[in-house]
Coordinates of all heavy atoms in Angstrom, one line a residue:
L17 N -10.7 8.1 20.1 CA -9.3 8.3 20.7 C -8.5 9.0 19.6 O -7.7 10.0 19.9 CB -8.7 6.9 20.9 CG -7.2 6.9 21.4 CD1 -7.1 7.8 22.7 CD2 -6.7 5.5 21.6
N91 N 10.5 21.7 20.1 CA 9.9 22.5 21.1 C 10.4 22.2 22.5 O 10.6 23.1 23.3 CB 8.3 22.2 21.0 CG 7.5 23.4 21.4 OD1 8.0 24.2 22.3 ND2 6.3 23.5 20.9
E258 N 6.6 37.4 -5.8 CA 5.4 36.5 -5.7 C 4.5 36.6 -6.9 O 3.8 35.6 -7.3 CB 4.6 36.8 -4.4 CG 5.3 36.6 -3.1 CD 5.9 35.2 -3.1 OE1 5.2 34.3 -3.1 OE2 7.2 35.1 -2.9
D307 N -4.2 38.2 43.1 CA -3.0 37.3 42.7 C -3.5 36.4 41.6 O -4.7 36.3 41.2 CB -2.6 36.5 44.0 CG -3.8 35.7 44.5 OD1 -4.4 34.9 43.7 OD2 -4.1 35.8 45.7
H310 N -6.5 33.9 41.9 CA -7.9 34.5 41.9 C -8.3 35.1 40.7 O -9.5 35.7 40.6 CB -7.9 35.5 43.2 CG -8.0 34.8 44.5 ND1 -6.8 34.5 45.1 CD2 -9.0 34.3 45.3 CE1 -7.0 33.9 46.3 NE2 -8.4 33.9 46.4
A404 N -6.1 32.3 0.9 CA -6.9 33.1 1.8 C -6.7 32.8 3.2 O -6.8 33.7 4.2 CB -8.4 32.8 1.4
N458 N -0.2 57.2 60.8 CA -0.6 56.8 62.0 C -1.0 55.3 62.0 O -0.8 54.5 63.1 CB -1.9 57.6 62.5 CG -1.6 59.0 62.7 OD1 -0.4 59.3 63.1 ND2 -2.6 59.9 62.8
D475 N 4.9 57.3 52.7 CA 5.2 57.9 51.4 C 5.1 56.9 50.2 O 4.6 57.3 49.2 CB 6.7 58.5 51.4 CG 6.8 59.7 52.3 OD1 5.7 60.4 52.6 OD2 7.8 60.1 52.7
L522 N -18.1 27.6 1.1 CA -16.9 27.0 1.6 C -16.4 26.0 0.6 O -17.1 25.0 0.4 CB -17.0 26.4 2.9 CG -17.3 27.4 4.1 CD1 -17.4 26.7 5.4 CD2 -16.3 28.5 4.2

Side-chain angles (χ1 to χ4, degrees):
L17 179 58
N91 207 332
E258 299 307 298
D307 59 57
H310 288 85
N458 290 338
D475 287 342
L522 299 177

